Amino acid sequence: RIGYVSALFVAAVHLADAFWFDAGQNAAVALMRLSDTGFVLRELTHALTLGISILVVAVPEGLPMMITVVLAANMKKMMKHGVLVRRLVGIETAGSVDMLFTDKTGTLTTGSLTVESVLTVKSEAPLSTPAVPVSESRSVLSRRSGKRTGRKSDKASPALIRTPEGPVFLSSPSMGSAPGVTALHLRESASVCSSTGNQTEKALSSFAGFRESKAAVLTPKTGRIPFDSARKFAAGEGANAVLIRGAPELLLPFCVRWKDENGTSHPMDAALRSALERLIREYAASSARLILHAEAERGTIVKLKEGTVMITGDNADTAEAVARSCGILPRGGVRLSDPDRIPAGNEPVVLEGAVLRALPDEKVSELLPRIAVISRVTPTDKSRLVRLAQQKGHIVGMTGDGINDAPALKAADVGFAMGSGADVAREAGDIVITDDNFVSVTRAVLYGRTIFSSIRKFITYQLTMNLAAVGVSVLGTMLGIENPVTVIQMLWVNMIMDTLGSLAFAGEPALEDVMRLPPVKRNEPILTHSMAAQTVLTGGFALALSMVFLLSPGLRLLFPGNRLHRLTQFFALFVFMGIVIAFTTRTPRMNLFAHLTENRAFCLIMPAVAVMQLLIVWFGGEVFRCVPLPPAELGRCALLALLVVPLDTIRKCVLRILGERKRTAPADTQTG
């Protein structure tokens, strides 16, 4: 709209000058000129050409190219950091994410498991990896952890039982006959065996030295209920019983008996149940994941209420411990266990899935800014959280690796799929984290914010130069300076600030500074108040300096010469100002050369523009309406153009002072 209005205005001003002001405001002369068909056609053509040139300059046709180039260039850089971009627009969106729902296993932790020790209610026995299993037994608990370290011992090999989805190895005779419930202690590691199944089965098969074929024999094939994150348990028919595995806090209330290492059945009394609950809490608090193994009589598969899972499949204790170790949950925080009693204040909230589902959408939306950890969340809960966050105006990111994560990954504004995850999850995601590292998600956000920042820098540069160029054409004509900038010169200026400028700003490096800035909100316009102020200030100064150069008698002492000579000097001054403005717009720092060498495109393009301008001045001739200028005059033009730098330095100082005041102001007086 600005381009169209400017083009019409410049054309109208030119026609008014040709038919009225240039005629000495004499009606008779004006009518005579209007009756001259050749004169009218010539001036109309010239006015149309001027209008089109202004329109070309004003409209940033290089912006689409700039966006494509910057996205493609950053996509190649991100590949080196384990980030595969499936949809280019996903990079830019990642930079605007202000709420990220992240899975734990495989993202914040490695997701690879190894067996470390066998646990009972009364003891923990470290184990070494056996070559073959010894005998068959049964037990109740196994553990998975979020740490990488492991321990070894020369204890005897554990025994083997069957589970709904594969072999599970438990206590050995050397552990003694002390009564208690036996458990497996597993830890995440960098690599596991290549057996089929999920990470738990891989870890257990690797521990026992089983091959895939043998492990498959021990896996029930009939009457099987596969593990599902919504149910939080798996079940399958064994030889004489139904085998069940799942979340301890969900299965334990249904357990009425337990078996020792000899297979003898004992009643599950209150003391032992309390001991098991204490064991679950202790290991969960150390960032472990616990898995309970149980048996049921044929036909009596336990039907559980819908299970819950954080953006992790662990219980609240484990989720809270991992969140604290990762820095997601700061000190303090409050666990919300009653949906009818939402604590006041701004403390971070640890929420369980059951409570989440009990809360209405309005309450969840109010809590969103405070929620730090959610445990036992179902896939439906994930999609609900994404929907509610988007309704609140948040730009939502979601990480995931499983099939059940696909709907939430698809619904989120940007989905981060783990490279080792399911094919469905990778297809649903916008960005694939090939190294399964949460740091790579951070890099994606960093590059996204850098891209958006680069686009804003380019737009600011474009608008600043537009204001100066259009202003010179309009004011110059109104003040009696005929064609201060020709159409060809205007097109060269447009090439500098549009095509070449877009390529120069597209190469800006990804700096950590942008991570300290607030994310861009969904309804935030591209052109901000600060950008508009910078445009008006810098562009207005460039316009004022141009008009002073063209009209001031005092400057003619420094820049002598006839009209053509002076207009050539002005053309050089204007292009040099464009180069300086590009430097001041590129960085918010006082040092205009900060991180300059990291943008190789800028380092090549701007010096090339300066060299091209010198060649145009010396050899452009009538095409560019130029006459050769001596180096001394060109040097004075460059020095005059550098006056933009002190003005920009003052602007940045004022912004820094205002920013410091805002940060140190009391919380109740801060706005925005």
Side-chain angles (χ1 to χ4, degrees):
R1 289 195 294 266
I2 293 173
Y4 281 125
V5 171
S6 301
L8 291 173
F9 190 74
V10 168
V13 169
H14 174 77
L15 292 176
D17 180 69
F19 290 101
W20 182 249
F21 295 103
D22 200 34
Q25 302 182 28
N26 188 312
V29 177
L31 287 174
M32 185 179 64
R33 291 190 174 189
L34 285 171
S35 62
D36 186 345
T37 305
F39 182 83
V40 170
L41 290 176
R42 185 167 62 252
E43 294 303 324
L44 284 175
T45 303
H46 191 64
L48 180 63
T49 305
L50 276 177
I52 292 174
S53 66
I54 292 297
L55 188 61
V56 169
V57 170
V59 177
E61 69 273 9
L63 182 59
M65 180 189 70
M66 185 263 187
I67 293 175
T68 304
V69 169
V70 72
L71 289 176
N74 281 277
M75 182 181 71
K76 292 181 65 177
K77 295 177 185 176
M78 293 168 72
M79 277 291 294
K80 300 177 182 178
H81 296 287
V83 180
L84 172 63
V85 180
R86 296 186 64 252
R87 299 177 182 89
L88 281 180
V89 72
I91 313 177
E92 182 188 347
T93 309
S96 301
V97 168
D98 60 353
M99 183 163 286
L100 176 66
F101 297 106
T102 178
D103 197 10
K104 178 187 77 68
T105 305
T107 306
L108 300 176
T109 59
T110 62
S112 301
L113 309 175
T114 54
V115 177
E116 185 179 79
S117 61
V118 172
L119 309 177
T120 68
V121 173
K122 298 184 178 181
S123 65
E124 174 177 351
L127 296 170
S128 59
T129 302
V132 290
V134 181
S135 61
E136 185 169 330
S137 182
R138 296 179 176 87
S139 190
V140 180
L141 283 170
S142 70
R143 178 191 183 208
R144 296 204 295 175
S145 167
K147 300 181 181 179
R148 296 176 181 266
T149 57
R151 294 176 294 177
K152 293 186 178 181
S153 175
D154 294 327
K155 296 288 183 179
S157 301
L160 168 68
I161 68 164
R162 290 174 296 170
T163 69
E165 295 181 2
V168 169
F169 313 94
L170 298 161
S171 61
S172 65
S174 64
M175 294 185 64
S177 58
V181 177
T182 310
L184 276 181
H185 178 174
L186 292 83
R187 289 208 184 263
E188 292 198 11
S189 63
S191 62
V192 294
C193 67
S194 59
S195 65
T196 58
N198 61 29
Q199 297 293 346
T200 306
E201 269 61 53
K202 291 180 181 180
L204 297 174
S205 296
S206 175
F207 175 69
F210 268 91
R211 301 296 181 188
E212 294 182 13
S213 58
K214 193 165 187 178
V217 172
L218 296 172
T219 302
K221 299 296 183 182
T222 60
R224 179 179 177 184
I225 300 177
F227 181 83
D228 183 84
S229 57
R231 290 187 297 265
K232 308 314 300 175
F233 79 95
E237 294 185 10
N240 301 307
V242 174
L243 309 174
I244 304 172
R245 184 185 70 200
E249 65 268 31
L250 300 178
L251 289 173
L252 190 58
F254 297 92
C255 295
V256 294
R257 303 185 68 83
W258 66 278
K259 291 182 179 181
D260 59 22
E261 62 271 17
N262 298 317
T264 305
S265 179
H266 304 276
M268 180 77 75
D269 56 26
L272 182 56
R273 189 183 300 275
S274 177
L276 284 173
E277 291 174 348
R278 184 176 65 254
L279 182 72
I280 292 170
R281 288 194 300 271
E282 289 175 356
Y283 279 102
S286 66
S287 75
R289 178 182 296 178
L290 300 175
I291 302 174
L292 184 144
H293 299 267
E295 293 182 359
E297 297 297 329
R298 183 178 300 275
T300 58
I301 294 180
V302 178
K303 295 182 182 290
L304 300 179
K305 61 181 179 180
E306 189 177 73
T308 54
V309 153
M310 179 182 168
I311 308 275
T312 176
D314 297 324
N315 64 24
D317 292 322
T318 303
E320 187 173 339
V322 172
R324 290 191 187 280
S325 65
C326 294
I328 295 175
L329 181 65
R331 291 191 176 276
V334 57
R335 183 176 297 184
L336 178 58
S337 56
D338 188 350
D340 297 323
R341 296 181 179 179
I342 299 178
N346 295 317
E347 279 192 293
V349 173
V350 178
L351 197 63
E352 291 196 30
V355 178
L356 176 70
R357 286 187 293 278
L359 290 171
D361 287 354
E362 296 77 14
K363 293 293 184 181
V364 176
S365 297
E366 292 177 9
L367 274 176
L368 274 176
R370 297 176 57 190
I371 295 175
V373 179
I374 311 179
S375 62
R376 301 303 189 196
V377 179
T378 67
T380 304
D381 293 330
K382 291 184 179 182
S383 298
R384 181 193 179 199
L385 288 168
V386 171
R387 174 176 56 83
L388 293 178
Q390 289 174 332
Q391 289 177 357
K392 288 282 289 184
H394 295 286
I395 296 179
V396 182
M398 170 66 73
T399 72
D401 58 355
I403 295 175
N404 290 325
D405 294 325
L409 289 171
K410 192 74 174 178
D413 293 285
V414 55
F416 300 94
M418 299 299 111
S420 63
D423 292 340
V424 175
R426 292 197 297 270
E427 287 295 323
D430 301 291
I431 295 175
V432 178
I433 308 300
T434 58
D435 59 0
D436 292 355
N437 194 337
F438 188 77
V439 175
S440 298
V441 178
T442 306
R443 290 195 186 103
V445 174
L446 170 63
Y447 277 101
R449 292 194 179 185
T450 300
I451 290 168
F452 199 77
S453 174
S454 299
I455 292 172
R456 278 184 158 171
K457 290 176 183 178
F458 169 69
I459 292 174
T460 302
Y461 178 63
Q462 177 97 11
L463 292 177
T464 301
M465 294 300 296
N466 279 348
L467 177 60
V470 175
V472 166
S473 298
V474 174
L475 290 180
T477 303
M478 293 177 65
L479 296 175
I481 305 173
E482 185 180 355
N483 297 333
V485 182
T486 67
V487 173
I488 297 298
Q489 290 174 345
M490 192 71 77
L491 293 177
W492 167 236
V493 171
N494 178 72
M495 182 177 292
I496 294 172
M497 69 182 187
D498 199 329
T499 307
L500 297 177
S502 66
L503 295 175
F505 284 100
E508 280 298 287
L511 303 177
E512 295 294 335
D513 294 357
V514 297
M515 297 299 286
R516 292 193 286 268
L517 300 174
V520 180
K521 296 181 180 179
R522 186 182 298 276
N523 58 351
E524 182 175 333
I526 291 181
L527 184 62
T528 63
H529 292 297
S530 61
M531 292 169 62
Q534 181 179 351
T535 298
V536 172
L537 181 64
T538 309
F541 179 80
L543 173 58
L545 185 59
S546 299
M547 299 313 298
V548 169
F549 183 90
L550 291 171
L551 299 174
S552 173
L555 283 179
R556 292 180 182 176
L557 299 176
L558 290 174
F559 299 92
N562 58 26
R563 179 179 179 275
L564 184 58
H565 202 88
R566 291 270 297 168
L567 289 176
T568 304
Q569 294 167 346
F570 169 70
F571 180 42
L573 168 66
F574 194 85
V575 172
F576 290 156
M577 278 197 300
I579 297 173
V580 175
I581 291 173
F583 276 87
T584 59
T585 307
R586 188 192 68 86
T587 177
R589 298 173 183 266
M590 303 291 183
N591 179 12
L592 301 183
F593 301 100
H595 303 284
L596 179 61
T597 56
E598 298 176 48
N599 187 347
R600 290 181 292 180
F602 196 95
C603 293
L604 292 173
I605 289 173
M606 290 304 158
V609 169
V611 172
M612 285 294 297
Q613 180 62 28
L614 295 178
L615 294 176
I616 288 173
V617 169
W618 289 332
F619 306 107
E622 293 183 1
V623 175
F624 283 91
R625 198 188 64 182
C626 291
V627 295
L629 298 178
E633 290 185 8
L634 289 170
R636 287 196 292 270
C637 290
L639 289 175
L640 194 61
L642 288 175
L643 289 177
V644 175
V645 176
L647 175 77
D648 185 72
T649 303
I650 295 172
R651 179 187 67 85
K652 291 174 180 176
C653 286
V654 172
L655 288 178
R656 182 168 297 183
I657 293 171
L658 293 177
E660 290 294 333
R661 287 182 178 177
K662 184 177 180 180
R663 282 192 291 270
T664 56
D668 58 350
T669 64
Q670 293 189 15
T671 59

